[in-house]
Amino acid sequence: MSTAPDSPSPWLRRPEPRPAATTTVVCLPHAGGNAGFFQPWARMLPPELELLAVQYPGRQDRLLEEPLVEMAALADAVTAELVRTPLLAGRELVLFGHSMGASVGWEVTRRLERGSGPRPRRLLVSGRPGPRAQQPIDAYRLGEEEFVDELRRMGGTSDELLDDPEMRELLLPAVRADYQVVGTYAPDLDARVSCPVDAFTGDADPDVTPETAAAWEHATHGPFTLSVLPGDHFFPWSQTEHMVAALAASAPPARTP
């Protein structure tokens, strides 16, 4: 999976280049996640959609970069890349974010709607309470063993990685930084985006109930939908076909010759 060939940006990954696409879907990972989580989705989207995945600093090929620890800094950086990249020129834009990425996506959408760059036609959020239902968490302050126990509780990180001291040394700084982003984030409870918002949650998610996911309705002036799917916090990757279909449906109808 490569960076976008038309841009030197380390932030954007273009796993399935589609120069003729009419809509770009930008995907934002969860805390501790990386752009590679969305690689299978890129191949499954219809040909008129191209997927770009955001790679946060401090992981994989950006391992030597300092991870960001504040939501505003992270959202500002992603917004700047989307404004700058030529890959969005003349295209519709859809944003998808999971867990931490949902909040990043909402903040990026707010910034894009206020600025002169591309305006998202739709925002899809999953695995995250709406802004009015979010609670500050301080898990990023935990000692190493307690922090690892929290990662095991949430799932999404293999025990094999968490049991390997060398892998933990590489993995944990970025994950802890992401948890700090979430734990210190204080959203503007009166702010709303203009575009439609579609929220998704797993019926067995230990931290996001249908009621707290429904709070995203108060984060938009546009239409809102809520879908509850089978699965835990990482349900999007056990419900791949459903999520890819939702992304495809968020784009305008394919143009006919």
Side-chain angles (χ1 to χ4, degrees):
M1 184 164 56
S2 63
T3 55
D6 302 309
S7 169
S9 167
W11 286 86
L12 301 176
R13 299 292 180 271
R14 194 185 189 192
E16 190 79 13
R18 293 177 175 174
T22 56
T23 298
T24 298
V25 177
V26 174
C27 293
L28 299 129
H30 54 277
N34 59 70
F37 278 85
F38 301 104
Q39 188 165 1
W41 294 15
R43 294 190 295 267
M44 298 173 64
L45 287 169
E48 64 271 17
L49 276 73
E50 180 177 85
L51 185 146
L52 296 181
V54 172
Q55 184 81 309
Y56 305 135
R59 65 215 71 204
Q60 293 189 321
D61 58 327
R62 302 189 71 185
L63 184 65
L64 299 182
E65 299 180 49
E66 194 70 23
L68 298 177
V69 296
E70 295 180 349
M71 179 64 75
L74 188 54
D76 285 347
V78 174
T79 302
E81 294 302 326
L82 296 184
V83 169
R84 190 184 66 83
T85 181
L87 291 174
L88 301 183
R91 294 185 178 185
E92 299 282 355
L93 173 63
V94 174
L95 297 183
F96 169 82
H98 179 64
S99 197
M100 179 184 82
S103 289
V104 179
W106 186 66
E107 290 289 349
V108 169
T109 299
R110 291 182 59 207
R111 286 158 170 76
L112 289 174
E113 289 185 344
R114 293 197 304 261
S116 58
R119 292 175 65 88
R121 65 174 279 111
R122 204 167 198 96
L123 170 65
L124 289 78
V125 294
S126 74
R128 181 82 168 133
R132 294 188 181 186
Q134 292 169 17
Q135 299 293 328
I137 57 173
D138 60 358
Y140 68 94
R141 299 180 184 274
L142 295 172
E144 181 171 319
E145 293 304 324
E146 292 80 6
F147 189 61
V148 168
D149 288 342
E150 170 65 12
L151 298 184
R152 294 188 200 275
R153 182 186 74 86
M154 290 301 298
T157 306
S158 72
D159 287 336
E160 183 179 1
L161 291 178
L162 295 175
D163 290 339
D164 185 325
E166 292 183 0
M167 293 305 300
R168 278 166 61 158
E169 186 177 356
L170 293 174
L171 176 70
L172 291 187
V175 183
R176 192 183 291 275
D178 289 350
Y179 268 67
Q180 186 171 347
V181 169
V182 175
T184 59
Y185 174 48
D188 182 344
L189 301 185
D190 295 322
R192 296 190 178 207
V193 297
S194 297
C195 69
V197 171
D198 301 315
F200 302 82
T201 190
D203 61 5
D205 190 319
D207 292 335
V208 186
T209 65
E211 291 74 22
T212 59
W216 282 105
E217 183 175 10
H218 304 292
T220 179
H221 290 294
F224 172 77
T225 67
L226 172 65
S227 299
V228 181
L229 302 176
D232 59 15
H233 186 66
F234 292 96
F235 73 91
W237 287 274
S238 63
Q239 299 290 329
T240 293
E241 291 186 2
H242 188 108
M243 299 308 300
V244 169
L247 292 175
S250 69
R255 298 170 186 168
T256 55

